[in-house]
Amino acid sequence: MKKVLLCVFTLLLLTGCSGKALSEATTSPDISMEETTAAAAVQTEEESSALYVSLGDSIARGYGLSNIPEERFSTIAGQNWDIPADAVYNYGVDGQTSGELITMLQQNMPSSLAQADVISISIGANNVLKYAFQFLYDYYLYLYAEPAQYTDQDIAALFRDFIENADRGCETLAEDLPVLLETIRAVNPDCQILFLTLYNPYAAVNTELHINGMPILLSALSDSYAVKINNCIRESTKNAENLTLVDVYSAFTGRTSELLYAVTPPELDPSEMDMQYMDPHPNARGHRLIGQLVSESYTIE
C-alpha cells in the first residue's frame, strides 16, 4: 500500500512542478492555439461582448477536476458575466511559477491578451510549492522507505534547505510581479486585472512533521507561506491601476475541508503521512467559489 501511495505522490510531484498540463493535451502552452473553455458558442443579445483571459498555474487550469473545461473557475466566472464560451481564454499551466509565466508571455504573447477586457491571474504558489513537494516526498521516504534512506540529521538538513528555498521563492515572486504587470500593460494598458490571493493548501491536513524532535504542524507551516505569498502580492500590486485583489485566502479560511482535495480523515494519526490526502488543489466546489469571487469583484458593463 505504501508503494502505491508513493507512486501517487510522485505523480503529484511531477505534475505540480513540471510546468506542463498533463491531464489535458500534453502540450506546453502554445499560445497560438488559444485554448477556450468550451466549444465556440453562438452569441445572443443577452451575452456580453467582453473578452476574458485567465492566466496562471494549475489552479487556473483546473487540475484535478473531472471536467476541466466546464468546472474550472474561469468558466464559472465567464458564465456569471454572461460572456460566451468562445470569448473565455484559459492559459493556465500546471506547475507554473511567476518567472515561467513572464517567460511564456514574453516569448509567445497571445493576441487575446491585448484584446481582453478582464484578465485574472493565479500565480505564486509554485514559487514555494515546488520545494514543499520535494521536501514532503523526502519526508515520506524518511518515514516509510525500506531500507531507510534518511537519518534524523538528513531530514533536518533537508528541512533547512526547504525553508531557505521557499523564502527565496517568495523573494523571487516579489521581484517578478512588477515585471509581470508591466508585460501585460505593454500590450493592454486599460483592461481590468483581477489578482487572486492564495488559500492555505494544507489547512485541513493534520500531519505533524518532526524535525530534530520538534513537532511542526504542516497546516501552520503552509499557512505561514500562504501569508508570505499574499503579502508579496499585496505589496507588489498596491499602487497598480485597474487592478483588484480577489481575496481567495479569506473566503477559503475555515472551509478548506469542503473546498480542497487535501483533507486528512480524523482517524489518521498526526505522526503518519498518507499522500492520497495531500493534493492541494481546489475541488469543483472550490472552483465554483473562486469563480463567484472573481465575477463579483468586477462588473462588466
Side-chain angles (χ1 to χ4, degrees):
M1 182 63 178
K2 290 187 177 68
K3 290 183 178 179
V4 173
L5 294 178
L6 184 58
C7 291
V8 170
F9 186 59
T10 302
L11 179 59
L12 180 61
L13 175 66
L14 293 174
T15 304
C17 301
S18 66
K20 295 185 179 181
L22 299 183
S23 58
E24 291 182 344
T26 54
T27 60
S28 57
D30 181 1
I31 301 301
S32 63
M33 297 174 65
E34 296 207 342
E35 172 197 354
T36 57
T37 60
V42 177
Q43 183 172 339
T44 67
E45 293 183 0
E46 291 77 19
E47 288 178 324
S48 171
S49 60
L51 190 151
Y52 167 39
V53 170
S54 175
L55 299 174
D57 48 30
S58 54
I59 300 173
R61 194 185 72 85
Y63 175 85
L65 297 171
S66 58
N67 189 337
I68 290 174
E70 296 298 329
E71 294 180 326
R72 60 188 169 195
F73 76 79
S74 58
T75 300
I76 306 302
Q79 291 170 346
N80 291 344
W81 280 320
D82 293 321
I83 298 177
D86 63 344
V88 178
Y89 293 81
N90 189 298
Y91 300 113
V93 178
D94 289 345
Q96 191 170 68
T97 64
S98 54
E100 289 166 350
L101 175 55
I102 293 169
T103 299
M104 184 185 86
L105 296 178
Q106 290 176 341
Q107 293 182 350
N108 199 2
M109 179 70 70
S111 60
S112 58
L113 202 71
Q115 302 164 7
D117 298 280
V118 58
I119 297 171
S120 66
I121 303 174
S122 171
I123 205 70
N126 290 303
N127 287 51
V128 170
L129 274 178
K130 63 180 181 179
Y131 304 114
F133 285 156
Q134 183 60 60
F135 175 74
L136 291 175
Y137 178 81
D138 291 333
Y139 192 83
Y140 186 85
L141 293 177
Y142 164 71
L143 289 179
Y144 298 118
E146 297 177 359
Q149 296 196 19
Y150 296 118
T151 65
D152 293 351
Q153 292 74 24
D154 292 334
I155 208 66
L158 289 170
F159 184 73
R160 289 193 297 271
D161 290 343
F162 157 67
I163 295 297
E164 180 179 335
N165 288 327
D167 288 345
R168 188 181 302 116
C170 290
E171 294 170 1
T172 301
L173 177 63
E175 296 168 358
D176 285 343
L177 290 182
V179 179
L180 174 61
L181 296 179
E182 289 172 6
T183 302
I184 294 173
R185 289 307 187 197
V187 298
N188 193 329
D190 300 319
C191 73
Q192 183 70 25
I193 295 177
L194 307 177
F195 211 117
L196 281 62
T197 62
L198 176 66
Y199 54 83
N200 177 359
Y202 291 129
V205 173
N206 67 353
T207 298
E208 285 184 353
L209 308 173
H210 289 264
I211 311 297
N212 285 332
M214 178 183 298
I216 299 174
L217 284 174
L218 180 57
S219 58
L221 180 64
S222 64
D223 189 66
S224 69
Y225 278 102
V227 170
K228 285 185 180 181
I229 289 169
N230 291 336
N231 285 341
C232 287
I233 293 171
R234 289 189 175 90
E235 183 65 24
S236 299
T237 61
K238 65 181 181 181
N239 296 321
E241 296 182 356
N242 297 332
L243 186 149
T244 301
L245 287 184
V246 181
D247 193 1
V248 177
Y249 177 89
S250 295
F252 272 50
T253 298
R255 300 184 59 191
T256 53
S257 60
E258 63 177 290
L259 301 173
L260 302 179
Y261 292 115
V263 181
T264 52
E267 64 270 17
L268 186 69
D269 189 278
S271 65
E272 299 178 351
M273 180 179 285
D274 193 332
M275 302 318 303
Q276 66 179 313
Y277 305 114
M278 300 293 281
D279 183 345
H281 296 92
N283 56 30
R285 290 186 298 275
H287 273 270
R288 285 196 295 271
L289 177 55
I290 297 174
Q292 176 185 341
L293 295 170
V294 168
S295 60
E296 290 178 351
S297 67
Y298 180 64
T299 300
I300 293 180
E301 300 177 352

